[in-house]
Amino acid sequence: MGIFSKISSLFSGRKLDSATLDAMEGALIAADIAPGLAADIIAKLRGKFRPDAETTETEIKTALADILRPYAEKLKPLTSYLLPLTSQSPKRPLVFLVIGVNGAGKTTTIGKLAKQFIDSGKRVVIGACDTFRAAANEQLAEWATRAGAKLICGDKDPAAAAYKTIELAQNENADIVILDTAGRLHNRTDLMDELSKIIRVVKKLDESAPHETLLVLDGTTGQNGAAQIEYFDRAAKLSGLVVTKMDSTSKGGFLVTYAAAGARPLPVFAVGMGEKIGDMRPFDADDYLKKLLDL
């Protein structure tokens, strides 16, 4: 359910009154759009439409979409995430470092990414560098099998696992390496130090690696998502985002707030729409707004 489904009982379908606008502002905030930004959006609507005017629901949705579209467009990559990520460097393999907090859907995302690359004709090797969480390797192995990717695991040291994975991928002339890492939070300095070590070790084999550092964000995380982006970007120089759980339970409204706050926000390379290995698609600003606004 999107913003409009939450206020449909209040919207007359004929007139836009103050009560409806107030309800709309509350719905925007409930969809994880920051209060200040929500107030600004409603102020623009108040300036566009006369109080109690004969205004249809369609007109209001269109006006809202027009206000939000510039923010959503900031998140849109220039082209499909499959193509630019495999053409930015002449070196092989291209190394993807995938990070995120526990429960964000990191392992699932890795399997989906691997499947996308393999389906496009690329050879993929996955490195199991999450030695912190119990059963992490078993879960990653299941997703690697589903995708048809080669999995390298067994090292207790995450940085050693990353080194071994890239070295083998270089020897086998693989196209893509995807490195799984332990879920981490800012209050786990040991895991953040471990992440820094992985990056240092990776650069010993390829100074330009990792070529892409993707933060996996749970679409239901709310405004904390913007804080995660800021923190992990400082720690690992992110190149893009993957937003998961963008199904009926999540609208990802925090992305609007994030895009409005930053002059050059990171692109959303892909969104996860479900639990199946094919449930991933490139981010599309118009599709995102349609889902957010129930268009």
Side-chain angles (χ1 to χ4, degrees), residues 20-54:
T20 301
L21 285 169
D22 289 343
M24 201 175 299
E25 183 173 348
L28 288 167
I29 295 171
D32 292 325
I33 294 174
L37 180 59
D40 180 61
I41 291 169
I42 296 303
K44 290 179 180 178
L45 286 180
R46 292 184 191 276
K48 183 176 180 63
F49 299 109
R50 292 185 297 106
D52 299 319
E54 297 290 330

Side-chain angles (χ1 to χ4, degrees), residues 66-217:
D66 289 343
I67 293 170
L68 296 175
R69 184 166 287 105
Y71 303 131
E73 288 288 348
K74 287 184 179 182
L75 301 165
K76 188 177 180 180
L78 296 177
T79 53
S80 168
Y81 68 91
L82 285 176
L83 298 178
L85 300 187
T86 58
S87 61
Q88 291 176 355
S89 170
K91 285 192 173 184
R92 289 293 185 273
L94 286 178
V95 179
F96 289 73
L97 185 65
V98 182
I99 63 179
V101 301
N102 285 326
K106 188 162 47 65
T107 303
T108 303
T109 294
I110 289 171
K112 292 177 179 179
L113 282 173
K115 177 64 172 174
Q116 295 272 4
F117 287 128
I118 289 170
D119 285 350
S120 65
K122 298 171 181 65
R123 290 158 297 180
V124 179
V125 179
I126 298 174
C129 305
D130 181 357
T131 62
F132 181 77
R133 182 171 59 91
N137 284 0
E138 289 81 357
Q139 293 175 8
L140 190 62
E142 180 180 346
W143 281 99
T145 299
R146 292 184 194 177
K150 188 168 187 175
L151 178 68
I152 305 301
C153 59
D155 284 278
K156 294 182 178 180
D157 179 70
Y163 189 97
K164 178 180 178 181
T165 301
I166 296 173
E167 189 174 47
L168 181 140
Q170 288 176 336
N171 291 337
E172 295 189 356
N173 201 28
D175 299 299
I176 304 288
V177 165
I178 306 176
L179 300 177
D180 186 22
T181 63
R184 56 200 78 232
L185 292 169
H186 66 277
N187 60 352
R188 288 303 303 260
T189 56
D190 56 334
L191 292 178
M192 294 307 297
D193 290 343
E194 177 187 282
L195 179 61
S196 298
K197 182 181 177 182
I198 290 173
I199 293 172
R200 290 196 304 271
V201 167
V202 164
K203 289 186 178 299
K204 291 181 179 179
L205 289 167
D206 183 347
E207 292 182 358
S208 63
H211 303 97
E212 300 291 342
T213 301
L214 303 182
L215 174 63
V216 178
L217 284 170

